[in-house]
Amino acid sequence: MKSARLVSVLLLLQTRGRMTAAQLAEELEVSVRTVYRDVEALSAAGVPLYGDAGHAGGYRLLDGYRTRLTGLTTDEAEALFLAGVPGPAAELGLGSVLAAAQLKVRAALPSELREHADRISGRFHLDAPGWYADADETPYLPAVADAVWNCRVLHIRYRRWREPTDVERRLEPYGLVLKAGRWYVVAGPGPRTFRVDQILELIASEEEFTRPEDFDLAAFWSAYQRDFHERLHRAEAVVRLAPGAPAARLSGPAAHAVAVNGRTDKDGWTRATVPIESVDQAHHDFLRLGTDIEVLEPAELRERIAATVAELALRYA
């Protein structure tokens, strides 16, 4: 809708400063001609909007001009309050800041949108950690967050899984990621990823670093996850699932493989080739499915499971 797009143009210029017509068009996914028309409409409505010609030109708002949050739609107001996760904010030391910000936004909303925002807060609660694990202790998380924000170097003693387990590292922290209730810091040089709960000691220095201008935290994390899963599941197993057995009981990649490549035999069982991390891990994962699964290949895995089942049968005889 044009009205929503006009508000978007106004807010983009308010938050980012000078922007060219091409930049606005790319951000809003419209043509440059449409941007020209939108700018004319805003100017006609009394918005102090100016355009500068030349290579360094673009559109900008008169210094000091601010707009109120009267352009929010119902869905946008609901999403704004749904996005405020109090648990992680408190861990970062921003719990009171988040509460104050939400209070100010709520006060600026029209009454009907305020009611929708209150309904969201009362009906949805986000809890990131899983059920069967204790919450990670992250005493250094606020210090890491402060270093991320201020581009300050950190010196840490870190515990990793391989020998030597305790190592010292100099970090240039680019950003923080919360994944399944666990905090990770992405830091240069590299960049590399570190679990915040595995930081044993931390010294925050006054040394500043320059964050790479082209570093995109979301893009890095997506690539990191893809690489992680590719390295994690390098082997394969051929399995059969009993009729009615839910593939969802398998790990994510294995369940996906069954859904995409599984074929049903004459006896109703589903046969598929699924990715596995290792024989040891697959032995553990597949035993959880009991009689709903049969492993055909590799032979080593089939023999391991058969030996375990025989031992269990002997024990419970």
Side-chain angles (χ1 to χ4, degrees), residues 43-114:
S43 297
V47 175
L49 184 65
Y50 296 89
D52 297 326
H55 177 71
Y59 294 106
R60 63 183 178 88
L61 294 170
L62 181 68
D63 291 344
Y65 177 82
R66 309 293 292 177
T67 183
R68 290 173 56 84
L69 291 172
T70 53
L72 284 177
T73 66
T74 300
D75 290 342
E76 289 167 345
E78 291 177 349
L80 179 63
F81 277 79
L82 185 61
V85 187
E91 290 183 272
L92 290 169
L94 299 174
S96 60
V97 177
L98 174 64
Q102 287 187 331
L103 181 62
K104 291 177 182 178
V105 172
R106 183 181 180 279
L109 292 174
S111 59
E112 64 275 11
L113 295 188
R114 195 179 305 134

Side-chain angles (χ1 to χ4, degrees), residues 3 15 26 28 36 48 51 55 67 75 86-87 91 98 101 104 106 113 129 139 164 189 194 196 236 267 275 295 310:
S3 58
T15 55
E26 181 179 3
L28 300 171
Y36 291 151
H55 177 71
T67 183
D75 290 342
E91 290 183 272
L98 174 64
K104 291 177 182 178
R106 183 181 180 279
L113 295 188
F194 301 84
V196 177
E236 291 182 335
D267 57 2
V295 175

